[in-house]
Amino acid sequence: MSQETTHIVSYKTQIFVLLALLVLTAISVAITRIEMGPFNTAAALLIASIKASIVLAWFMHLKFESRFFTVMVAAVFILFLLVILVTFFDYSYR
Amino acid sequence: MSDSNNAHNVSYLDYKGQYKGLSAWIFSTDHKRIGLLYLYTMLAFFSVGAILGLLMKTELIAPGATIMGPKAYNALFTLHGIIMIFIIVVPGLPAVFGNFFLPIMIGAKDVAFPRLNLLSWWLYVIGILIVLTSQFLGDGPPDTGWTFYAPYSFQTPANVLPAVFGAFVMGFSSILTGINFVVTIHRMRAPGMTWFKMPLFPWTLYGTAWIQILATPVIGITLLLIVAERLLGIGIFDPALGGDPILYQHLFWIYSHPAVYIMILPGMGVISEIIPVFSKKTIFGYKAIVLSTMAIAFVGYFVWGHHMFTSGMSGRALYTFSFLTFLVAIPSAIKVFNWVSTMHKGSLDMQTPFYWAVSFIFVFMIGGLTGLVLGSLATNVHVHDTHFVVAHFHYIVFGGTGYAFMAALHYWFPKMFGRMYDLGWANLGWGIFFIGFNALYLPMFFLGMQGMPRRYYDYLPDFHGGNIISSLGAWVMISGIIIIFANLIRSARHGKKTTQKNPWGGKTLEWQVETPPTLENFEEIPTIEKGPYHFGE
Ligand code: HEM
Ligand SMILES: [Cu+2]
């Protein structure tokens, strides 16, 4: 059994993370005003992924856990990305 | 707690915890009791689903309205599909035999989160109850088919929402079971049981659990979007509101195709357990089976579009999905070769579980190969939405998962109940079932190729012959099912008692613990040195 470690994130970091999330939210709204065709979807997904990664890393402590979990989460992200890619084989060529 | 109730020497069936009677079951966190809770719930609903199927086949014995009209028929196939898919085969083997045997087979005392496990069962039951309300409340039972395709599912006045929401709740049950199994397998294997010393049934449960975790949320969100669209009129799928109905099909099949692997992978695992035991031979190509399991679980995510070849996807999407579909058939075929090679020159012990396992291979191959006919773009256009598809998936879901379930039940029954069933009746039941099964579904391939569509209560007179055989087959098959379950239910209560640990000569850990297992399975957690199937040493 591995040792349970508790890691306490300082308020300062928490607030930085919160600000980063708010800024990214603002960007994802602002970016819809630019006409980019299918890349609008890509941009929205990209920003959402960055936000999710931030939440995972700090709020959900992935950054302080064993590397193994990071690898697992990354694998899930890649799977998700591939599913979206395949979906767009349909939408981009209709 | 008295000494005679010591967790180490009392069978899980006799153990007296803090609750009595029914509560001792429905509040038990023992993985074995939870497995049986699922088993009994499924048996109850399987009987309902089977009766609905029988009624449909009786309707189809002659053209025109025989015993019901179109409305009733549509409601029947919808409920039949929802019960059989969401209540029976999706939870199916993992919920019953995974719960009961996964911890034992990897040398653990329980799953990682026993309470979460109980919560899964409760969510499952609550989901079922919600689905059932759709039959009695509002404007009549849903008539959309189990696929709830848009835009019809938004336009029908029938009571679609409870069915959809019930399926959503059951999805959570499935996700929780998946999480539980993944953690159990990662963290609770007995010392010495490396990944490649783990038996194959736990391996398939592992692949399945990942699909449960990663694919089920997609259907959950999709079903919620239906709710949002129906209640709030937000245009997501309904073209009248500016939505895209094909998006619904994408989302639905992004879950539902991987879900067919949730159904079949554990079945393949059971067959991989049974074949070596009754061939008295080490499994052929253990690693090939493990890798093909994981390959199926992975590639299975990318083939969903083969359900939508005629829906108007782009050409590029069509051939991509067709190609990937052919790819996923390869690991399935690898497994068949492994099973056959295991039997080759084995010393075969012809017993009931083995009959089920061998007949599994037979019907699974028919189902799999007709899948390739459906996976080819040109032939799909011809047989899509005909009885050919109905035959394909019954061969592979009922023939695959269903036969594997029966095989597992007859294989593990003495261990689970500490009693033996009557072998003569069991074999007779199997024989009648097998004949009825093929008479029921084989003609559907021909009917489909002749052009008989699915999901209609009526048909042209040209299709009468095949339908007569098929409907009679249904009655034969049901007789087999009645014999099988009458035998098992009677034996579970009054069958010959047995405490023999290893009636079939198996090598995996469940055959080394007491029959029936004690509350904590193992007095001492074993240390594993050999692989799981070391026969003939
Ligand atoms: C050898 C691998 C397989 C191939 C190539 C394959 C291919 C296909 C294709 C192309 C369809 C769509 C037919 C159509 O609607 O036009 C289909 C339908 C279906 N398949 Fe398979 N399949 C395979 C294995 C399986 C397995 C293992 C299961 C379940 C355990 C399964 C369950 C189903 C179901 C339930 C449907 C019908 C869904 C519906 O429309 O109601 N298939 N299959
Ligand atoms: Cu499919």
Side-chain angles (χ1 to χ4, degrees):
Chain A
M1 281 283 143
S2 62
Q3 211 67 49
E4 292 264 340
T5 50
T6 44
H7 184 101
I8 297 167
V9 184
S10 68
Y11 277 117
K12 209 172 120 198
T13 323
Q14 305 269 35
I15 289 179
F16 269 125
V17 172
L18 181 64
L19 284 179
L21 290 173
L22 289 174
V23 171
L24 284 165
T25 309
I27 296 181
S28 64
V29 175
I31 211 161
T32 53
R33 290 168 199 273
I34 309 170
E35 190 53 61
M36 298 188 292
F39 293 103
N40 275 107
T41 317
L45 285 173
L46 188 69
I47 297 172
S49 311
I50 296 173
K51 284 165 68 180
S53 314
I54 293 175
V55 170
L56 281 166
W58 278 281
F59 288 169
M60 300 181 78
H61 280 213
L62 206 56
K63 196 168 170 341
F64 318 111
E65 292 283 353
S66 106
R67 272 293 291 278
F68 176 71
F69 295 113
T70 316
V71 173
M72 295 292 245
V73 172
V76 171
F77 265 71
I78 291 171
L79 182 82
F80 187 58
L81 184 70
L82 288 174
V83 167
I84 299 222
L85 260 179
V86 174
T87 310
F88 275 83
F89 275 129
D90 176 17
Y91 282 95
S92 314
Y93 300 102
R94 276 222 195 128
Chain B
M1 226 181 280
S2 71
D3 228 32
S4 64
N5 203 14
N6 184 311
H8 284 308
N9 48 33
V10 64
S11 133
Y12 79 101
L13 290 168
D14 300 331
Y15 176 76
K16 304 254 183 310
Q18 65 187 118
Y19 299 109
K20 289 201 181 61
L22 185 63
S23 306
W25 284 84
I26 60 175
F27 298 123
S28 169
T29 52
D30 179 358
H31 65 101
K32 301 180 284 296
R33 288 197 173 194
I34 295 175
L36 292 188
L37 285 178
Y38 274 109
L39 177 64
Y40 299 142
T41 323
M42 278 177 204
L43 283 184
F45 283 94
F46 178 77
S47 330
V48 178
I51 291 170
L52 298 176
L54 201 61
L55 289 174
M56 286 190 286
K57 283 319 303 184
T58 309
E59 162 57 34
L60 289 181
I61 202 163
T66 315
I67 57 167
M68 67 183 85
K71 247 191 131 117
Y73 189 83
N74 293 354
L76 282 196
F77 72 66
T78 303
L79 187 60
H80 171 81
I82 294 175
I83 290 181
M84 291 307 197
I85 297 279
F86 294 114
I87 305 183
I88 311 294
V89 285
V90 168
L93 287 145
V96 178
F97 301 104
N99 264 323
F100 200 109
F101 286 105
L102 169 68
I104 307 184
M105 290 177 91
I106 64 171
K109 293 190 172 180
D110 207 317
V111 292
F113 308 116
R115 278 161 187 259
L116 198 63
N117 204 12
L118 182 61
L119 178 66
S120 299
W121 180 75
W122 274 100
L123 284 176
Y124 169 68
V125 172
I126 293 170
I128 293 177
L129 292 176
I130 299 176
V131 167
L132 289 184
T133 62
S134 70
Q135 300 301 309
F136 307 109
L137 302 178
D139 305 317
D143 55 355
T144 57
W146 75 281
T147 47
F148 307 114
Y149 265 17
Y152 181 66
S153 58
F154 306 102
Q155 292 161 356
T156 167
N159 208 5
V160 176
L161 282 188
V164 165
F165 189 64
F168 176 76
V169 173
M170 278 188 255
F172 275 95
S173 161
S174 193
I175 295 172
L176 294 184
T177 304
I179 292 177
N180 222 334
F181 284 6
V182 166
V183 178
T184 306
I185 291 171
H186 271 276
R187 308 294 303 221
M188 298 179 67
R189 279 169 290 134
M193 183 175 281
T194 55
W195 283 97
F196 285 116
K197 288 204 178 87
M198 188 162 75
L200 289 163
F201 182 54
W203 257 118
T204 51
L205 289 173
Y206 184 68
T208 307
W210 273 115
I211 309 178
Q212 285 174 305
I213 298 172
L214 296 180
T216 318
V218 181
I219 192 82
I221 291 164
T222 311
L223 296 176
L224 277 191
L225 290 176
I226 297 191
V227 176
E229 180 152 330
R230 263 191 90 117
L231 287 183
L232 310 174
I234 303 172
I236 300 162
F237 305 125
D238 188 347
L241 299 169
D244 175 15
I246 299 190
L247 177 64
Y248 176 81
Q249 297 189 14
H250 275 299
L251 291 173
F252 182 83
W253 291 112
I254 286 176
Y255 164 72
S256 295
H257 185 83
V260 308
Y261 293 109
I262 296 180
M263 303 168 198
I264 197 69
L265 279 176
M268 294 169 155
V270 166
I271 302 306
S272 308
E273 296 294 337
I274 292 177
I275 298 275
V277 171
F278 291 86
S279 309
K280 301 276 169 287
K281 249 183 86 193
T282 309
I283 187 102
F284 180 87
Y286 169 89
K287 278 199 180 155
I289 297 186
V290 169
L291 294 179
S292 60
T293 299
M294 297 320 276
I296 290 178
F298 180 71
V299 184
Y301 277 102
F302 305 106
V303 300
W304 76 84
H306 63 216
H307 295 272
M308 308 160 55
F309 285 156
T310 58
S311 308
M313 283 192 300
S314 80
R316 220 172 276 218
L318 291 178
Y319 58 73
T320 311
F321 281 123
S322 182
F323 172 75
L324 291 168
T325 300
F326 275 82
L327 212 59
V328 82
I330 297 173
S332 311
I334 291 179
K335 284 184 200 282
V336 171
F337 286 121
N338 280 306
W339 295 322
V340 175
S341 316
T342 306
M343 287 188 275
H344 179 63
K345 293 199 174 158
S347 101
L348 300 185
D349 184 9
M350 305 302 279
Q351 303 261 23
T352 320
F354 189 66
Y355 287 135
W356 282 107
V358 180
S359 48
F360 168 96
I361 301 179
F362 179 79
V363 289
F364 178 74
M365 275 174 50
I366 297 182
L369 292 172
T370 51
L372 292 175
V373 176
L374 292 167
S376 324
L377 293 175
T379 39
N380 181 277
V381 177
H382 188 60
V383 287
H384 172 70
D385 259 351
T386 68
H387 266 64
F388 192 92
V389 177
V390 182
H392 157 71
F393 70 74
H394 280 91
Y395 260 90
I396 210 144
V397 181
F398 199 1
T401 313
Y403 279 49
F405 197 94
M406 297 292 211
L409 205 50
H410 287 90
Y411 178 56
W412 281 316
F413 186 93
K415 179 62 70 181
M416 296 167 83
F417 295 99
R419 292 178 187 269
M420 195 55 198
Y421 51 86
D422 185 289
L423 289 167
W425 282 108
N427 291 341
L428 182 73
W430 167 80
I432 295 177
F433 179 91
F434 185 72
I435 293 168
F437 177 90
N438 286 294
L440 166 56
Y441 296 116
L442 205 58
M444 291 190 186
F445 283 122
F446 298 97
L447 290 167
M449 278 191 284
Q450 289 164 2
M452 178 175 166
R454 66 192 282 207
R455 294 179 170 169
Y456 287 91
Y457 80 110
D458 192 8
Y459 50 83
L460 298 175
D462 313 30
F463 302 131
H464 197 186
N467 273 299
I468 293 178
I469 303 175
S470 175
S471 294
L472 295 180
W475 286 93
V476 175
M477 189 183 79
I478 290 283
S479 325
I481 292 183
I482 292 173
I483 294 177
I484 292 163
F485 282 118
N487 182 28
L488 290 180
I489 292 171
R490 202 198 59 87
S491 306
R493 309 176 62 196
H494 311 295
K496 206 170 98 230
K497 276 206 165 172
T498 172
T499 52
Q500 206 191 337
K501 283 187 181 174
N502 194 354
W504 315 115
K507 298 287 185 188
T508 35
L509 283 177
E510 79 272 29
W511 303 114
Q512 292 170 28
V513 302
E514 299 297 325
T515 296
T518 56
L519 184 72
E520 297 201 328
N521 307 337
F522 300 94
E523 197 149 338
E524 218 176 292
I525 298 294
T527 303
I528 312 301
E529 277 146 17
K530 294 187 200 151
Y533 309 102
H534 48 95
F535 287 91
E537 280 159 36

